[in-house]
Amino acid sequence: MATDLNRKSDLDPKNYVASVEKALRLLELFSERSPQLTLGEIVKLGGYSRTATYRLLGTLEHLDWITRTGDYYQLGLKVFRVGSVAVNALMLRQEASQSISQLAANMGETVYLLVPDGLRAVCLERIEGNAQVQIMVLDIGQSLPLHAGGGPLALLSHRSDLFDKLVPLCPLERPNGTKMNVDDLSAIREDTLRRGYSRSIEDVTPGVGAFGAPIFDAHGKAIAAISIGGLAQTLKARETELAGGLMSSAREISQRLGHQID
């Protein structure tokens, strides 16, 4: 164990923080078989000095990653909160996979799955259709501000908490360089809620657009969005068809996550 814990990182030294790796490796010592460990046991398993181990544990305890009861340390609730986020993201991708793949195949355009991350929306999945012109505005792991793009705008419009955080930051600049004030933001939200889907036409990339629809969990909270993107002229010409398929897929995924459709 100690050999594994002390192995050198393959990262560029400029991008490597040894203390972070050491702290994370201490967290990895805890398991179902060893949910609680003493300082002495952690020192033995970790291979670090007693002083270094004590300081690392103190920092982790201060940040709620570890709790201590008497002589025993164990994982704190923060570990489980972060873990549950990862599990939820995996479940979302699994439940959405078939629907967005079918949507991309049926419509021929690129489909995206996005989740909120602060005041941005991160792409979890991208499925390309069979259109002659492929649009790749957003790759997996990349993000857009919530006030631009089909998926982000769908999320923003259905999440009052996120909307309220953006309002004080107005005017907001979109990726295409244009500005949005509070009235612009409110109008987009109202239009999106009325239609049931968002419209993003050239606010990210010239000549490109997207429609977006929210995905709800069992509690009725918009936890993600799917969007369908393509050439702006294609979206305008096929809006009824594309938006209809998009909303149908979003409802299907929401139902799989336990959302009750009225």
Side-chain angles (χ1 to χ4, degrees), residues 5 7 23 39 46 53 56-57 77 85 94 126 138 148 151 200 204 210 213 216 245:
L5 288 173
R7 73 177 167 79
L39 175 59
T53 301
L56 288 168
L57 290 172
L77 289 178
V85 171
Q94 290 172 353
R126 187 189 82 246
L138 196 61
S200 163
V204 176
F216 300 97

Side-chain angles (χ1 to χ4, degrees), residues 82-95:
V82 172
S84 66
V85 171
V87 170
N88 289 340
L90 287 172
M91 185 174 73
L92 173 62
R93 289 184 72 172
Q94 290 172 353
E95 295 300 335

Side-chain angles (χ1 to χ4, degrees), residues 144-210:
L144 286 172
L146 287 175
H147 58 277
L153 287 173
L155 275 169
L156 181 65
S157 299
H158 289 82
R159 288 282 297 271
S160 297
D161 57 328
L162 299 177
F163 183 85
D164 291 343
K165 289 179 181 178
L166 270 187
V167 168
L169 302 179
C170 288
L172 300 164
E173 184 172 350
R174 289 182 282 200
N176 67 358
T178 59
K179 303 282 188 178
M180 293 180 69
N181 57 35
V182 176
D183 290 339
D184 296 328
L185 207 59
S186 297
I188 288 175
R189 184 189 191 192
E190 291 174 8
D191 287 344
T192 298
L193 293 175
R194 174 179 52 79
R195 281 192 305 265
Y197 65 94
S198 63
R199 297 178 83 253
S200 163
I201 305 298
E202 299 186 295
D203 61 351
V204 176
T205 303
V208 174

Side-chain angles (χ1 to χ4, degrees), residues 91-101 103 111-113 214-217 223-226 246-259 261:
M91 185 174 73
L92 173 62
R93 289 184 72 172
Q94 290 172 353
E95 295 300 335
S97 178
Q98 181 179 346
S99 294
I100 62 177
S101 295
L103 179 63
V111 177
Y112 303 89
L113 172 66
I215 294 173
F216 300 97
D217 65 9
I223 60 168
I226 55 173
L246 176 72
M247 289 191 290
S248 178
S249 292
R251 285 193 297 269
E252 186 176 279
I253 298 168
S254 296
Q255 286 178 311
R256 288 179 181 167
L257 294 175
H259 181 59
I261 307 296

Side-chain angles (χ1 to χ4, degrees), residues 1-254:
M1 177 68 76
T3 300
D4 179 61
L5 288 173
N6 287 311
R7 73 177 167 79
K8 255 185 150 177
S9 172
D10 294 328
L11 290 174
D12 183 329
K14 296 194 295 289
N15 300 322
Y16 171 68
V17 182
S19 57
V20 174
E21 180 175 340
K22 289 178 180 179
L24 292 175
R25 292 194 178 281
L26 289 188
L27 293 178
E28 293 174 352
L29 295 176
F30 297 89
S31 65
E32 290 185 10
R33 296 180 62 181
S34 302
Q36 293 184 321
L37 295 168
T38 65
L39 175 59
E41 290 170 332
I42 296 172
V43 170
K44 182 178 179 180
L45 292 171
Y48 308 135
S49 70
R50 191 177 185 87
T51 299
T53 301
Y54 184 75
R55 288 176 177 173
L56 288 168
L57 290 172
T59 302
L60 291 169
E61 183 181 4
H62 174 70
L63 297 173
D64 296 326
W65 288 95
I66 276 182
T67 60
R68 181 174 55 174
T69 304
D71 294 331
Y72 288 90
Y73 292 88
Q74 64 185 46
L75 297 178
L77 289 178
K78 184 173 287 187
V79 174
F80 298 101
R81 287 200 296 270
V82 172
S84 66
V85 171
V87 170
N88 289 340
L90 287 172
M91 185 174 73
L92 173 62
R93 289 184 72 172
Q94 290 172 353
E95 295 300 335
S97 178
Q98 181 179 346
S99 294
I100 62 177
S101 295
Q102 192 63 53
L103 179 63
N106 290 344
M107 300 300 171
E109 305 294 342
T110 303
V111 177
Y112 303 89
L113 172 66
L114 304 100
V115 293
D117 180 22
L119 296 181
R120 299 182 70 84
V122 178
C123 178
L124 282 187
E125 190 65 89
R126 187 189 82 246
I127 306 295
E128 296 180 1
N130 55 13
Q132 291 185 342
V133 179
Q134 292 296 332
I135 304 298
M136 198 182 84
V137 173
L138 196 61
D139 203 353
I140 295 173
Q142 294 181 331
S143 66
L144 286 172
L146 287 175
H147 58 277
L153 287 173
L155 275 169
L156 181 65
S157 299
H158 289 82
R159 288 282 297 271
S160 297
D161 57 328
L162 299 177
F163 183 85
D164 291 343
K165 289 179 181 178
L166 270 187
V167 168
L169 302 179
C170 288
L172 300 164
E173 184 172 350
R174 289 182 282 200
N176 67 358
T178 59
K179 303 282 188 178
M180 293 180 69
N181 57 35
V182 176
D183 290 339
D184 296 328
L185 207 59
S186 297
I188 288 175
R189 184 189 191 192
E190 291 174 8
D191 287 344
T192 298
L193 293 175
R194 174 179 52 79
R195 281 192 305 265
Y197 65 94
S198 63
R199 297 178 83 253
S200 163
I201 305 298
E202 299 186 295
D203 61 351
V204 176
T205 303
V208 174
F211 302 138
I215 294 173
F216 300 97
D217 65 9
H219 305 290
K221 181 179 181 180
I223 60 168
I226 55 173
S227 66
I228 187 164
L231 295 175
Q233 60 186 26
T234 300
L235 295 185
K236 292 176 181 178
R238 301 178 60 197
E239 181 163 357
T240 300
E241 176 193 10
L242 294 175
L246 176 72
M247 289 191 290
S248 178
S249 292
R251 285 193 297 269
E252 186 176 279
I253 298 168
S254 296

